[in-house]
Amino acid sequence: MDNTLALIDKFRKVSTATIATCLFKMGLKNQFIQGVEPLKRGKATMVGLAYTLRYIPAREDLNPIDVFKNPEHLQRVAIEKCPVDHVLVIDSRKDARAASAGSILVTRLMKRGAAGIVTDGGFRDSAEIAELDFPAFHCSPSAPTNLTLHQAIAINEPIGCGDVAVFPGDFIIGDDDGVMVVPKHLAEEVALECLQMTQYEKFVMDKVKGGEGIIGLYPLTSENMQKEFSKWKSDAYEY
């Protein structure tokens, strides 16, 4: 997608709540990754393309501690191959009893220019990861190594994360409310619609803060309010 960077910039200006509403209008009801939240709130919105890692249940004879010595171990490979401006999305089977990754791997991912990391499991060293200048989302802290429970089996193929289908190249947007997945073929349409929705919501908020009631304003059914909004848009923030 030639305009990927432009779309990333557009998605940074909208909220996951707005994206969720936009996708619902299109008939997509299940794009919000369930049970996942930021390790630390108040960070800049995370936006990037999905690069995926999938775990299956660990089998003890195939998953001893020395598998990490293998340079082809897929957890390590995913960290080293996740492209710039991509979000590493991990299918940890919604199981946070063992860590999906720790601070060393997440720091390496950050240094390589990734846009963030998401798991439907948990991170170890969660306090350290929370302090990084890097968006990270998980279900809950978890101390045990992933080897006790998870076995890395595939990278950059379709996965499920928090009950949502994630395909490589989908747009991943995360803020204080959580993480949304935007199918890549819909990204341009969704970004444009969300920017328009955000502009309208700014108008609504200005009116509500000024004491206006919401009937006829939200949604915009009043003819007078429609005229006011049209006039307001001429001086509104330009996207």
Side-chain angles (χ1 to χ4, degrees):
M1 189 180 297
D2 294 336
N3 62 341
T4 295
L5 293 180
L7 287 173
I8 287 174
D9 185 61
K10 290 176 181 177
F11 277 122
R12 285 199 179 107
K13 299 173 182 175
V14 301
S15 69
T16 55
T18 298
I19 293 169
T21 299
C22 179
L23 289 173
F24 177 67
K25 290 178 180 179
M26 296 179 176
L28 281 75
K29 304 175 183 178
N30 187 41
Q31 299 303 118
F32 181 73
I33 296 181
Q34 298 295 315
V36 165
E37 60 183 43
L39 272 70
K40 188 173 184 178
R41 286 175 166 77
K43 293 188 177 183
T45 298
M46 175 186 72
V47 185
L49 304 181
Y51 188 86
T52 63
L53 169 64
R54 181 165 64 90
Y55 288 136
I56 61 173
R59 207 177 79 183
E60 288 79 0
D61 62 322
L62 297 177
N63 220 43
I65 191 69
D66 60 3
V67 297
F68 282 146
K69 296 178 182 179
N70 181 357
E72 301 301 318
H73 187 271
L74 289 179
Q75 185 203 43
R76 268 49 175 176
V77 171
I79 295 296
E80 292 296 334
K81 288 193 174 181
C82 182
V84 172
D85 293 324
H86 282 60
V87 176
L88 181 59
V89 185
I90 304 175
D91 173 4
S92 290
R93 304 176 296 113
K94 299 190 295 182
D95 196 336
R97 290 178 297 160
S100 303
S103 61
I104 292 175
L105 298 191
V106 176
T107 300
R108 173 60 178 161
L109 195 63
M110 177 185 71
K111 290 295 184 180
R112 294 196 62 256
I117 186 169
V118 179
T119 178
D120 60 1
F123 292 123
R124 66 197 306 185
D125 316 315
S126 58
E128 294 178 45
I129 295 172
E131 293 306 315
L132 294 175
D133 185 20
F134 190 69
F137 295 76
H138 75 170
C139 290
S140 65
S142 185
T145 174
N146 66 303
L147 296 177
T148 63
L149 191 67
H150 305 303
Q151 183 170 325
I153 197 68
I155 57 174
N156 217 31
E157 66 175 29
I159 61 169
C161 184
D163 294 323
V164 178
V166 181
F167 289 78
D170 284 346
F171 279 78
I172 308 297
I173 300 95
D175 60 19
D176 284 354
D177 285 341
V179 179
M180 290 295 302
V181 179
V182 177
K184 57 186 174 183
H185 68 283
L186 296 176
E188 192 158 5
E189 181 181 359
V190 171
L192 180 59
E193 172 70 13
C194 285
L195 288 173
Q196 294 171 347
M197 290 172 62
T198 298
Q199 188 179 48
Y200 162 62
E201 289 167 358
K202 287 178 181 287
F203 168 74
V204 170
M205 185 60 75
D206 284 352
K207 299 298 290 185
V208 170
K209 286 181 177 179
E212 190 73 43
I214 60 171
I215 305 301
L217 171 66
Y218 187 66
L220 194 59
T221 57
S222 164
E223 185 175 340
N224 287 336
M225 281 296 170
Q226 290 172 4
K227 291 178 180 178
E228 281 197 44
F229 179 47
S230 295
K231 183 176 182 298
W232 180 91
K233 281 195 295 185
S234 64
D235 298 321
Y237 182 82
E238 291 295 332
Y239 290 106

